[in-house]
Amino acid sequence: MTSLLGRLVDAGAALGWVSAPPVEEIADLIGSLAAGTDTGDSAAAIARTGTEITGFAYWNRYARPTFRPHVDIEKVAVAPDAQGQGAGRKLMEALIRAARHHCTEVVTLDLRGDNAAAIGLYESLGFTPYGRLPDFVAVGEKRYDTLLYSLDLRAGR
């Protein structure tokens, strides 16, 4: 997992890090996700090609009591050589299934505004935009908009 995230970040992927995350940080993240899985406070999915992890995605339930019915997809990462082959879609579908299983009402996510492939994927899965934060993401001197999306699962009940 650390290798995948490190390669993606080093290649400029919009994952929230400006340099490859250390092994300890990823281990803490995975431990936290595992602890929340049983309670429905988190869900994670991985994509594999053979024995190699080629994708990783997860959500966390909102901590604030008034937001508890909802979850936020925090990371979706797919290795460059696996992109365009359906791995991102399968990861997202797994997260949406887990959200439904845990009676989630609304799934949210945000992404960097220049990520056209992700925008297309999320919209094809039914996510709709609800906001934009201009020049919110800082990568060195560059600035990017943050786009806010949601998927309302209440209608499907």
PDB file of all heavy atoms in Angstrom, residues 70-84:
ATOM      1  N   HIS A  70     -24.021   9.919   7.507  1.00  0.00           N
ATOM      2  CA  HIS A  70     -23.323  10.127   6.245  1.00  0.00           C
ATOM      3  C   HIS A  70     -21.856   9.690   6.330  1.00  0.00           C
ATOM      4  O   HIS A  70     -21.276   9.648   7.409  1.00  0.00           O
ATOM      5  CB  HIS A  70     -23.385  11.616   5.861  1.00  0.00           C
ATOM      6  CG  HIS A  70     -24.740  12.213   6.081  1.00  0.00           C
ATOM      7  ND1 HIS A  70     -25.876  11.759   5.448  1.00  0.00           N
ATOM      8  CD2 HIS A  70     -25.157  13.209   6.906  1.00  0.00           C
ATOM      9  CE1 HIS A  70     -26.923  12.463   5.844  1.00  0.00           C
ATOM     10  NE2 HIS A  70     -26.509  13.347   6.743  1.00  0.00           N
ATOM     11  N   VAL A  71     -21.279   9.385   5.159  1.00  0.00           N
ATOM     12  CA  VAL A  71     -19.863   9.014   5.077  1.00  0.00           C
ATOM     13  C   VAL A  71     -19.167   9.871   4.033  1.00  0.00           C
ATOM     14  O   VAL A  71     -19.811  10.409   3.122  1.00  0.00           O
ATOM     15  CB  VAL A  71     -19.663   7.511   4.753  1.00  0.00           C
ATOM     16  CG1 VAL A  71     -20.332   6.627   5.801  1.00  0.00           C
ATOM     17  CG2 VAL A  71     -20.144   7.157   3.354  1.00  0.00           C
ATOM     18  N   ASP A  72     -17.847   9.973   4.170  1.00  0.00           N
ATOM     19  CA  ASP A  72     -17.032  10.745   3.237  1.00  0.00           C
ATOM     20  C   ASP A  72     -15.957   9.855   2.637  1.00  0.00           C
ATOM     21  O   ASP A  72     -15.163   9.259   3.378  1.00  0.00           O
ATOM     22  CB  ASP A  72     -16.382  11.934   3.949  1.00  0.00           C
ATOM     23  CG  ASP A  72     -15.643  12.834   2.975  1.00  0.00           C
ATOM     24  OD1 ASP A  72     -16.270  13.310   2.012  1.00  0.00           O
ATOM     25  OD2 ASP A  72     -14.441  13.063   3.181  1.00  0.00           O
ATOM     26  N   ILE A  73     -15.945   9.751   1.316  1.00  0.00           N
ATOM     27  CA  ILE A  73     -14.883   9.012   0.636  1.00  0.00           C
ATOM     28  C   ILE A  73     -13.650   9.905   0.672  1.00  0.00           C
ATOM     29  O   ILE A  73     -13.658  11.009   0.136  1.00  0.00           O
ATOM     30  CB  ILE A  73     -15.282   8.639  -0.799  1.00  0.00           C
ATOM     31  CG1 ILE A  73     -16.461   7.663  -0.754  1.00  0.00           C
ATOM     32  CG2 ILE A  73     -14.074   8.058  -1.553  1.00  0.00           C
ATOM     33  CD1 ILE A  73     -17.006   7.263  -2.096  1.00  0.00           C
ATOM     34  N   GLU A  74     -12.607   9.414   1.325  1.00  0.00           N
ATOM     35  CA  GLU A  74     -11.426  10.242   1.557  1.00  0.00           C
ATOM     36  C   GLU A  74     -10.306   9.999   0.558  1.00  0.00           C
ATOM     37  O   GLU A  74      -9.549  10.917   0.254  1.00  0.00           O
ATOM     38  CB  GLU A  74     -10.935  10.043   2.986  1.00  0.00           C
ATOM     39  CG  GLU A  74     -11.969  10.552   3.994  1.00  0.00           C
ATOM     40  CD  GLU A  74     -11.506  10.486   5.426  1.00  0.00           C
ATOM     41  OE1 GLU A  74     -10.302  10.222   5.683  1.00  0.00           O
ATOM     42  OE2 GLU A  74     -12.357  10.692   6.309  1.00  0.00           O
ATOM     43  N   LYS A  75     -10.172   8.781   0.068  1.00  0.00           N
ATOM     44  CA  LYS A  75      -9.105   8.490  -0.906  1.00  0.00           C
ATOM     45  C   LYS A  75      -9.593   7.463  -1.909  1.00  0.00           C
ATOM     46  O   LYS A  75     -10.245   6.476  -1.541  1.00  0.00           O
ATOM     47  CB  LYS A  75      -7.855   7.907  -0.229  1.00  0.00           C
ATOM     48  CG  LYS A  75      -7.168   8.806   0.748  1.00  0.00           C
ATOM     49  CD  LYS A  75      -6.177   9.727   0.065  1.00  0.00           C
ATOM     50  CE  LYS A  75      -5.402  10.533   1.084  1.00  0.00           C
ATOM     51  NZ  LYS A  75      -5.998  11.804   1.439  1.00  0.00           N
ATOM     52  N   VAL A  76      -9.246   7.699  -3.152  1.00  0.00           N
ATOM     53  CA  VAL A  76      -9.398   6.720  -4.226  1.00  0.00           C
ATOM     54  C   VAL A  76      -8.105   6.818  -5.022  1.00  0.00           C
ATOM     55  O   VAL A  76      -7.792   7.870  -5.574  1.00  0.00           O
ATOM     56  CB  VAL A  76     -10.606   7.014  -5.137  1.00  0.00           C
ATOM     57  CG1 VAL A  76     -10.705   5.978  -6.248  1.00  0.00           C
ATOM     58  CG2 VAL A  76     -11.899   7.072  -4.329  1.00  0.00           C
ATOM     59  N   ALA A  77      -7.336   5.743  -5.046  1.00  0.00           N
ATOM     60  CA  ALA A  77      -6.031   5.748  -5.701  1.00  0.00           C
ATOM     61  C   ALA A  77      -5.890   4.511  -6.580  1.00  0.00           C
ATOM     62  O   ALA A  77      -6.111   3.396  -6.105  1.00  0.00           O
ATOM     63  CB  ALA A  77      -4.924   5.768  -4.647  1.00  0.00           C
ATOM     64  N   VAL A  78      -5.526   4.731  -7.833  1.00  0.00           N
ATOM     65  CA  VAL A  78      -5.317   3.623  -8.770  1.00  0.00           C
ATOM     66  C   VAL A  78      -3.981   3.837  -9.459  1.00  0.00           C
ATOM     67  O   VAL A  78      -3.693   4.938  -9.946  1.00  0.00           O
ATOM     68  CB  VAL A  78      -6.461   3.542  -9.812  1.00  0.00           C
ATOM     69  CG1 VAL A  78      -6.194   2.438 -10.826  1.00  0.00           C
ATOM     70  CG2 VAL A  78      -7.806   3.308  -9.122  1.00  0.00           C
ATOM     71  N   ALA A  79      -3.169   2.783  -9.488  1.00  0.00           N
ATOM     72  CA  ALA A  79      -1.861   2.849 -10.141  1.00  0.00           C
ATOM     73  C   ALA A  79      -2.022   3.267 -11.603  1.00  0.00           C
ATOM     74  O   ALA A  79      -2.991   2.864 -12.263  1.00  0.00           O
ATOM     75  CB  ALA A  79      -1.166   1.490 -10.063  1.00  0.00           C
ATOM     76  N   PRO A  80      -1.086   4.071 -12.120  1.00  0.00           N
ATOM     77  CA  PRO A  80      -1.197   4.551 -13.507  1.00  0.00           C
ATOM     78  C   PRO A  80      -1.408   3.440 -14.527  1.00  0.00           C
ATOM     79  O   PRO A  80      -2.222   3.581 -15.433  1.00  0.00           O
ATOM     80  CB  PRO A  80       0.128   5.269 -13.741  1.00  0.00           C
ATOM     81  CG  PRO A  80       0.569   5.702 -12.383  1.00  0.00           C
ATOM     82  CD  PRO A  80       0.097   4.616 -11.442  1.00  0.00           C
ATOM     83  N   ASP A  81      -0.707   2.311 -14.377  1.00  0.00           N
ATOM     84  CA  ASP A  81      -0.843   1.236 -15.367  1.00  0.00           C
ATOM     85  C   ASP A  81      -2.163   0.492 -15.243  1.00  0.00           C
ATOM     86  O   ASP A  81      -2.517  -0.285 -16.126  1.00  0.00           O
ATOM     87  CB  ASP A  81       0.339   0.273 -15.285  1.00  0.00           C
ATOM     88  CG  ASP A  81       0.543  -0.319 -13.906  1.00  0.00           C
ATOM     89  OD1 ASP A  81       0.086   0.284 -12.914  1.00  0.00           O
ATOM     90  OD2 ASP A  81       1.162  -1.394 -13.801  1.00  0.00           O
ATOM     91  N   ALA A  82      -2.944   0.736 -14.185  1.00  0.00           N
ATOM     92  CA  ALA A  82      -4.253   0.099 -14.017  1.00  0.00           C
ATOM     93  C   ALA A  82      -5.401   1.068 -14.311  1.00  0.00           C
ATOM     94  O   ALA A  82      -6.558   0.670 -14.326  1.00  0.00           O
ATOM     95  CB  ALA A  82      -4.386  -0.457 -12.604  1.00  0.00           C
ATOM     96  N   GLN A  83      -5.077   2.322 -14.555  1.00  0.00           N
ATOM     97  CA  GLN A  83      -6.119   3.315 -14.819  1.00  0.00           C
ATOM     98  C   GLN A  83      -6.750   3.067 -16.181  1.00  0.00           C
ATOM     99  O   GLN A  83      -6.103   2.588 -17.102  1.00  0.00           O
ATOM    100  CB  GLN A  83      -5.537   4.726 -14.735  1.00  0.00           C
ATOM    101  CG  GLN A  83      -5.150   5.087 -13.315  1.00  0.00           C
ATOM    102  CD  GLN A  83      -4.475   6.440 -13.199  1.00  0.00           C
ATOM    103  OE1 GLN A  83      -4.353   7.188 -14.154  1.00  0.00           O
ATOM    104  NE2 GLN A  83      -4.022   6.747 -11.991  1.00  0.00           N
ATOM    105  N   GLY A  84      -8.044   3.362 -16.264  1.00  0.00           N
ATOM    106  CA  GLY A  84      -8.767   3.172 -17.515  1.00  0.00           C
ATOM    107  C   GLY A  84      -9.193   1.742 -17.762  1.00  0.00           C
ATOM    108  O   GLY A  84      -9.717   1.420 -18.823  1.00  0.00           O
TER     109      GLY A  84
END
